[in-house]
Amino acid sequence: MNLQARIEDVHHRIEAACRRSGRSPEDINVIAVTKYVSLEATREALDHGLTQVGENRWQDAKEKWEALGDRGDWHFIGHLQTNKVKDIIGKFAYIHSLDRASLAKELEKEAAKRDLFVKCFIQVNVSGEESKYGLPPEELESFAKDLKQYPHLQIVGLMTMAPLEAEAEATRPVFRKLRELRDALDAERILPEPLRHLSMGMSGDFEVAIEEGATWVRLGTVLVGKS
């Protein structure tokens, strides 16, 4: 299947998931995760109208961003080390992996230096897997309260990664829980603005994530393939 065919297939699957859950496909944003593909494959994705690009590591993204960074919006979706913040700040429109106070402090410091605002998702380890990054759910509220001291960070939503399951349906409780956590934060009015977004769902489970409220899905293999 070529790229155009994969794009059309993903769109059809998104539309079907939205029909099942009474949502509008216009509410779903697709991030083309290009971490496993080459510079040329990333360029092809942009040429085909995939304007949201996701990368996990600056070391891998650097060449692509330097060649193509003026095209589309770039999302940093992997674990972000504090010593890499200075490399990615101002280059990535969204950071999906804000998960600790030290990272928030460093992002604020570098954003303030450059007089810019950074859109961030708080990463929550809903599944509790030791192999995954993110805040434990029980720490989310206090962490969110602490973020009010960082005016250059715009918290737009929550992010999580579900376990790799043989059946996508098994991921549903994880996605549902993230939505419930988001709704609880909004009900308490802990942050200045309501959290509009949920970044959840990847190639193997994005349809279930959409049914449970995802607004951003992060699609690699199913969309852009592998080099």
Side-chain angles (χ1 to χ4, degrees):
M1 195 183 292
N2 63 24
L3 177 58
Q4 186 58 42
R6 288 195 298 269
I7 291 171
E8 291 171 4
D9 179 63
V10 163
H11 283 164
H12 290 320
R13 292 168 68 180
I14 288 172
E15 288 170 355
C18 286
R19 281 196 300 273
R20 290 192 295 271
S21 52
R23 300 185 66 199
S24 168
E26 293 179 359
D27 294 335
I28 313 303
N29 303 282
V30 175
I31 301 169
V33 178
T34 54
K35 64 176 180 175
Y36 292 127
V37 301
S38 65
L39 169 61
E40 287 310 313
T42 304
R43 180 179 283 113
E44 184 186 11
L46 287 160
D47 289 344
H48 277 74
L50 297 172
T51 59
Q52 308 297 320
V53 177
E55 285 282 338
N56 277 49
R57 286 158 42 99
W58 173 243
Q59 299 94 307
D60 300 329
K62 185 174 186 290
E63 180 189 16
K64 299 171 195 173
W65 189 88
E66 287 174 349
L68 304 167
D70 59 342
R71 299 181 59 186
D73 291 325
W74 290 62
H75 298 248
F76 195 90
I77 60 176
H79 178 66
L80 180 55
Q81 297 172 302
T82 52
N83 64 354
K84 298 296 182 186
V85 167
K86 62 184 181 300
D87 294 322
I88 66 103
I89 199 93
K91 300 180 178 75
F92 288 79
Y94 293 85
I95 293 168
H96 290 242
S97 48
L98 176 56
D99 64 353
R100 60 199 187 281
S102 60
L103 179 58
K105 186 176 180 179
E106 190 67 17
L107 285 167
E108 172 67 23
K109 183 180 83 172
E110 294 296 333
K113 275 185 194 176
R114 294 163 174 78
D115 193 27
L116 53 82
F117 298 92
V118 187
K119 295 185 179 72
C120 297
F121 291 82
I122 302 172
Q123 183 173 357
V124 186
N125 186 357
V126 175
S127 69
E129 291 178 281
E130 290 185 7
S131 61
K132 287 187 167 54
Y133 294 102
L135 287 169
E138 61 271 18
E139 294 179 16
L140 175 60
E141 184 174 328
S142 62
F143 183 70
K145 287 177 179 175
D146 289 344
L147 291 177
K148 289 191 284 189
Q149 65 186 295
Y150 302 124
H152 292 84
L153 305 188
Q154 296 180 337
I155 310 303
V156 298
L158 304 182
M159 180 272 239
T160 200
M161 295 176 66
L164 288 173
E165 301 282 3
E167 296 293 333
E169 183 62 30
T171 63
R172 189 176 298 278
V174 171
F175 298 139
R176 182 172 294 161
K177 179 65 174 177
L178 192 74
R179 172 167 49 84
E180 291 170 349
L181 288 168
R182 189 272 310 272
D183 293 348
L185 275 186
D186 282 350
E188 293 291 329
R189 298 186 177 180
I190 288 169
L191 290 161
E193 298 291 334
L195 300 179
R196 294 183 52 237
H197 294 294
L198 294 173
S199 171
M200 59 188 193
M202 300 192 297
S203 289
D205 54 26
F206 70 93
E207 290 148 302
V208 176
I210 288 169
E211 291 170 8
E212 291 299 331
T215 59
W216 290 92
V217 291
R218 310 181 302 269
L219 304 183
T221 309
V222 74
L223 185 59
V224 296
K226 277 190 174 185
S227 291

